[in-house]
Amino acid sequence: MGKLGALALCALLLAGCSGSSSAPLGDPEPGTLRVLAGSELADMQPVLDEAEKATGVKVKFTYTGTLEGAEALANGSVDGKYDAVWFSSNRYPAAIPEAAKRLGNQVKIMSSPVVLGLATPVARRLGWVGKPVGWGEIAEQAGKKAFSYGMTDPSASNSGFSALVGVASALAGAGNAIDARQIASVTPRLTQFFSAQALSAGSSGWLSDAYTRRATGQDPGQKVDGLVNYESVLLSANASGKLPEPLTVIYPSDGVVTADYPLSLLADAGSDARSAHQRLSDYLRTPDVQKRIMETTQRRPVVPGVALGAQFAAHDLVELPFPATRQAVDALLAAYFDKIRRPSRTLYVLDTSGSMEGERIDSLRTALVGLTGADDSLTGRFRRFRSREEVTMLPFNTGPGTPRTFTVPEQDPAGELGRIKAFAEGLTARGGTAIYDSLSEAYRVLEPLAARDPDRFTSIVLMTDGENANGSSLADFLASSGSLSPAMKQVPVFTVLFGEGSSDELTQVATRTGGKVFDARNVRLAQVFQEIRGYQ
């Protein structure tokens, strides 16, 4: 689902699809509801197509993460551009006065709790099939590395944030929403729980796809035993028939955090939009459509009297309290990134060829400097280089340059972040473009670093604005990648399309390595670099 604000939730994604649009939004069209929405709502498109025929209301989506959406509400950039917002939850935006005042009528459409799904043989081995299991026992077994799992980044995706809130609240055991003072007391047990996380992602959909690819051997990355994700995502994975064994859904007995998907009119929406919102929300809450949503998306109905499908757990779920203040959320997120989660190791392969001269090299410098803490927006605050993170910069042109590795300390990180900033500001553009020699060099640089400290999320980011002109070819790289060590074969490459970079070639690199392609041709490079942070 992805989302939140300084409370950081969900994935950053400005994209469109049929019935959706990421193009600039002009004056509202009669019968059209312009909606800023979480990207996971793309699976509602079949239902919304039927809704248009029944109600005359066409939904025009622009997708975003909840973190970005909350910021857009708070700073007023939604004003006049959208008629409604539709996130997995309004809990965080409602806690920001500047955002809350822009929310009008809110209608819950469906729901999905964030739970744990484990491959059935693993769940049986742990004795968790058909018996109550609490987050405390799950954390204890995670600390023993009895299982591994994937989870989305809580600054990029609401499922990850909801999991973090849920586990922290359950382990605090106070019965009340966790506050900033309690976070230190639960940090050791949270560290225990997150030590078993072996896969991160910026969106719930990509996380589920990556799990499936790894389970079926289509992805070279490390296989994981399960996922912390929406119930709907886990049930959809089971229904797909693609998994070698189904996931057993574990509903922690001490509670969950549930997404309730409120379709929320903006306070300044016009009368046409208000009428469209009313017609659409009324239609979506009719019993037959609630059943259709349940069948299409695997989300639960919110209208009383609509029977749950057989795939859902029939028992009532305990709802864990949500942090009452933005300060508590910020403190929890800061602790997660700087103290609790496994630290990251990222190697940036950066095109500094002659074609980058001018605005392009300036954009690269700005993007990297923003990650050192210069960007103090809601998104920037939690997408920066983090304490304990190892960052290597490998600029290239006609050949690979000299790599420079920085390790951000847990205490007093400002000095090292300043050195990264100075390095980024010193990048210059000249020479040719040796993409694949430089990518091969990246793996050579990473191998001894990973051997000395293997317990890190490790990835490569490859950014280029052109096609390969020097040195080895893509075919050479793909052939040589087969001889990489097992550890290096599991390192994903996140490729960034920029300028005239080859979409086909960068897609092949990402696919072969288990990474993902990010498109910076029509959005700011800094925005894309922040988005990538959710996968590291």
Side-chain angles (χ1 to χ4, degrees):
M1 126 189 194
K3 329 4 173 169
L4 223 53
L7 175 139
L9 258 77
C10 200
L12 172 133
L13 224 136
L14 290 166
C17 63
S18 175
S20 315
S21 176
S22 60
L25 299 177
D27 293 333
E29 302 169 16
T32 295
L33 198 66
R34 303 168 300 170
V35 180
L36 184 65
S39 57
E40 78 275 13
L41 287 172
D43 67 2
M44 282 287 290
Q45 199 60 54
V47 177
L48 295 175
D49 289 342
E50 294 164 4
E52 183 178 357
K53 295 175 183 176
T55 67
V57 177
K58 178 179 181 180
V59 174
K60 191 173 186 179
F61 274 148
T62 297
Y63 296 127
T64 188
T66 299
L67 180 62
E68 292 77 15
E71 187 163 30
L73 281 167
N75 65 26
S77 61
V78 298
D79 296 351
K81 295 181 180 178
Y82 303 100
D83 307 304
V85 296
W86 199 355
F87 305 140
S88 59
S89 168
N90 282 345
R91 292 185 184 98
Y92 184 69
I96 306 174
E98 298 83 358
K101 70 181 183 182
R102 291 185 166 86
L103 293 173
N105 187 28
Q106 304 171 42
V107 182
K108 296 178 181 179
I109 302 300
M110 53 202 172
S111 72
S112 193
V114 175
V115 292
L116 171 65
L118 286 177
T120 296
V122 177
R124 287 200 186 103
R125 170 169 54 80
L126 291 166
W128 290 352
V129 177
K131 69 178 284 284
V133 181
W135 284 116
E137 183 178 351
I138 293 170
E140 182 180 353
Q141 293 300 321
K144 295 176 181 178
K145 301 294 176 69
F147 69 97
S148 62
Y149 65 88
M151 190 187 91
T152 57
D153 183 313
S155 78
S157 168
N158 188 56
S159 63
F161 184 80
S162 296
L164 176 60
V165 168
V167 176
S169 297
L171 294 181
N176 299 316
I178 191 168
D179 61 33
R181 293 172 301 173
Q182 294 173 300
I183 291 170
S185 67
V186 298
T187 291
R189 297 182 76 192
L190 286 172
T191 302
Q192 188 181 44
F193 174 76
F194 286 107
S195 68
Q197 185 183 355
L199 175 63
S200 182
S203 73
S204 297
W206 191 88
L207 181 75
S208 179
D209 289 344
Y211 173 83
T212 300
R213 291 194 303 270
R214 293 184 181 196
T216 55
Q218 301 174 65
D219 185 318
Q222 174 188 349
K223 291 185 178 180
V224 294
D225 296 318
L227 297 174
V228 177
N229 212 323
Y230 295 119
E231 175 191 53
S232 60
V233 172
L234 304 178
L235 295 179
S236 293
N238 282 346
S240 73
K242 296 177 181 178
L243 296 178
E245 61 259 326
L247 291 163
T248 292
V249 182
I250 310 294
Y251 297 89
S253 56
D254 39 5
V256 296
V257 173
T258 300
D260 54 15
Y261 295 94
L263 177 55
S264 305
L265 191 71
L266 293 180
D268 66 351
S271 58
D272 286 346
R274 291 175 184 274
S275 174
H277 176 269
Q278 184 71 57
R279 298 198 309 274
L280 178 62
S281 56
D282 285 349
Y283 171 82
L284 294 176
R285 286 174 60 88
T286 58
D288 286 346
V289 178
Q290 288 277 291
K291 292 177 184 176
R292 173 81 165 116
I293 291 172
M294 184 167 53
E295 294 164 356
T296 303
T297 72
Q298 303 291 329
R299 298 188 184 100
R300 295 178 175 231
V302 294
V303 174
V306 178
L308 281 177
Q311 70 271 39
F312 297 95
H315 56 76
D316 292 332
L317 303 178
V318 176
E319 189 67 20
L320 289 166
F322 199 79
T325 66
R326 172 174 165 179
Q327 290 73 20
V329 173
D330 285 349
L332 182 57
L333 285 167
Y336 172 80
F337 287 118
D338 293 334
K339 298 178 182 296
I340 294 170
R341 84 188 289 268
R342 291 170 54 201
S344 297
R345 170 186 293 114
T346 310
L347 192 151
Y348 289 83
V349 185
L350 304 169
D351 189 341
T352 58
S353 61
S355 60
M356 287 285 292
E357 184 66 43
E359 289 186 6
R360 292 181 179 181
I361 197 71
D362 287 343
S363 294
L364 177 57
R365 294 188 195 111
T366 299
L368 293 172
V369 168
L371 297 182
T372 66
D375 183 348
D376 63 356
S377 66
L378 292 183
T379 50
R381 290 167 58 200
F382 296 106
R383 306 277 176 81
R384 57 173 174 77
F385 294 126
R386 299 151 183 158
S387 296
R388 306 170 298 141
E389 183 169 1
E390 184 180 278
V391 179
T392 298
M393 301 290 183
L394 177 61
F396 73 92
N397 44 53
T398 308
T402 302
R404 176 87 178 270
T405 298
F406 307 85
T407 302
V408 182
E410 187 171 339
Q411 305 297 328
D412 256 343
E416 193 74 341
L417 290 172
R419 284 183 276 276
I420 298 175
K421 179 175 180 287
F423 181 90
E425 291 174 336
L427 292 173
T428 57
R430 61 179 177 273
T433 310
I435 296 173
Y436 300 108
D437 280 354
S438 303
L439 185 53
S440 295
E441 178 66 12
Y443 280 102
R444 284 191 288 271
V445 171
L446 272 182
E447 188 155 24
L449 296 174
R452 286 197 298 269
D453 184 7
D455 193 31
R456 289 178 178 268
F457 290 107
T458 300
S459 62
I460 294 171
V461 176
L462 169 62
M463 188 236 74
T464 181
D465 78 329
E467 297 191 2
N468 190 58
N470 303 94
S472 57
S473 65
L474 171 63
D476 296 329
F477 169 75
L478 295 177
S480 65
S481 65
S483 61
L484 290 171
S485 68
M488 288 298 99
K489 285 180 180 177
Q490 293 182 353
V491 175
V493 179
F494 300 113
T495 59
V496 181
L497 284 171
F498 191 57
E500 294 76 45
S502 171
S503 174
D504 178 64
E505 291 199 1
L506 293 185
T507 298
Q508 288 189 61
V509 170
T511 301
R512 174 64 70 91
T513 62
K516 175 176 166 62
V517 181
F518 295 83
D519 195 338
R521 292 173 295 186
N522 297 307
V523 296
R524 292 182 304 113
L525 186 61
Q527 180 178 328
V528 171
F529 271 36
Q530 282 190 358
E531 185 180 358
I532 293 172
R533 301 292 293 157
Y535 295 77
Q536 300 174 329

